[in-house]
Amino acid sequence: MKNSSMYPLKTTRMKLFSFLLSGFLLCFLPTAFAQDITVVTEDIAPFIFFDKKEQRVSGSATEMVVEILKRAKLTHRIEIYPWARSYMLAQRAPNVAIYSMTRTPEREKMFKWVGAVEQRDPYLFRLKSRPEINAKTFAELKPFFIGGIRDDATAQYLAKEGLHIDFSSTDNQNLRKLMLKRIDALVIDDQAINYVANVEKIDPNEIERFFKLDELSGPLFLAFSLSTSDDIVVRCKTALMSMVQDGTYQQITQKWNKKAE
């Protein structure tokens, strides 16, 4: 016959075990259920770049995105890759955000769009020592070799127009090609050329813009992979709207415009 006096002790031990187990699991609940966002992008100063002094990704578009995710209460990490890799990653996994991206008809159903985080004004640049590289129409550009970024909407658009595009992974590579006369022109945002030249230790006075791509001027967007939940996207849209309404969006834009002057 079993000693019934042992049951209270066993019951007490089981209760204690259950209590400790519950406490242990609670410690891991925030991590287990946190919606951590992987943010992928490219190095395109002054919009996006790695600040060596601060040891973090910075820039005007980055500040917009970080504020959006903060207001949406989403933890995140930002990774800088060549654009083609970021573009690929943003199509393959859930909870992946990408910025800053041109919103084209071809891309419309490939991503879940949040909203604009910056404005771009792309131009074609040439060496000042090569005034013969000149054009007023796309047709007049066809003899030239133009440096563009792989999987970038601007370069893709120019290629569809029948222009000769020499693809690279970064604007830095394209600028080096331009200086070596391996390409005739470089497509880059007007705000970015001085930053890239500074990084490459190239005198910006050696280059000049000669052709504005009006068709490609406009906003660049933050978007999510299709497998990201609609709830996350809606929270980010709401956060962006609140930034516009309380003036934060305009303040960030003005702050970085002053830095670029």
Side-chain angles (χ1 to χ4, degrees), residues 45-63:
F47 310 118
I48 309 153
F49 63 95
F50 185 77
D51 189 320
K52 293 181 180 179
K53 183 178 179 180
E54 298 291 334
Q55 285 296 296
R56 62 182 177 85
V57 182
S58 186
S60 56
T62 301
E63 190 169 340

Side-chain angles (χ1 to χ4, degrees), residues 145-163:
F145 286 90
I146 299 168
I149 302 297
R150 193 172 291 109
D151 283 331
D152 174 68
T154 303
Q156 290 173 337
Y157 179 87
L158 295 178
K160 285 183 179 179
E161 289 293 318
L163 305 186

Side-chain angles (χ1 to χ4, degrees), residues 60-75:
S60 56
T62 301
E63 190 169 340
M64 291 285 192
V65 170
V66 169
E67 182 64 20
I68 290 169
L69 296 173
K70 177 183 175 183
R71 293 189 183 205
K73 294 181 169 52
L74 295 167
T75 57

Side-chain angles (χ1 to χ4, degrees), residues 21-125:
L21 180 62
S22 298
F24 177 77
L25 292 174
L26 282 171
C27 291
F28 287 89
L29 279 176
T31 302
F33 292 97
Q35 293 175 310
D36 189 46
I37 304 300
T38 299
V39 185
V40 294
T41 188
E42 65 176 328
D43 187 335
I44 177 170
F47 310 118
I48 309 153
F49 63 95
F50 185 77
D51 189 320
K52 293 181 180 179
K53 183 178 179 180
E54 298 291 334
Q55 285 296 296
R56 62 182 177 85
V57 182
S58 186
S60 56
T62 301
E63 190 169 340
M64 291 285 192
V65 170
V66 169
E67 182 64 20
I68 290 169
L69 296 173
K70 177 183 175 183
R71 293 189 183 205
K73 294 181 169 52
L74 295 167
T75 57
H76 70 277
R77 66 183 186 279
I78 302 177
E79 304 287 353
I80 292 180
Y81 300 115
W83 180 251
R85 184 178 178 186
S86 289
Y87 189 68
M88 175 194 69
L89 290 171
Q91 297 176 66
R92 294 190 175 184
N95 295 348
V96 176
I98 183 170
Y99 75 108
S100 300
M101 186 160 59
T102 303
R103 191 169 183 171
T104 65
E106 295 80 9
R107 292 175 174 175
E108 188 64 32
K109 294 183 179 180
M110 296 170 62
F111 302 93
K112 292 182 177 180
W113 301 87
V114 174
V117 293
E118 67 179 78
Q119 175 76 21
R120 77 175 309 183
D121 295 296
Y123 284 83
L124 292 180
F125 284 78

Side-chain angles (χ1 to χ4, degrees), residues 167-182:
F167 290 102
S168 294
S169 297
T170 67
D171 288 320
N172 301 61
Q173 292 175 0
N174 279 327
L175 182 56
R176 290 195 293 269
K177 288 181 182 179
L178 183 71
M179 301 308 294
L180 293 171
K181 299 182 181 180
R182 290 172 54 189

Side-chain angles (χ1 to χ4, degrees), residues 12-26:
T12 301
R13 286 177 176 173
M14 287 299 294
K15 287 181 178 179
L16 178 61
F17 176 76
S18 297
F19 176 78
L20 292 174
L21 180 62
S22 298
F24 177 77
L25 292 174
L26 282 171

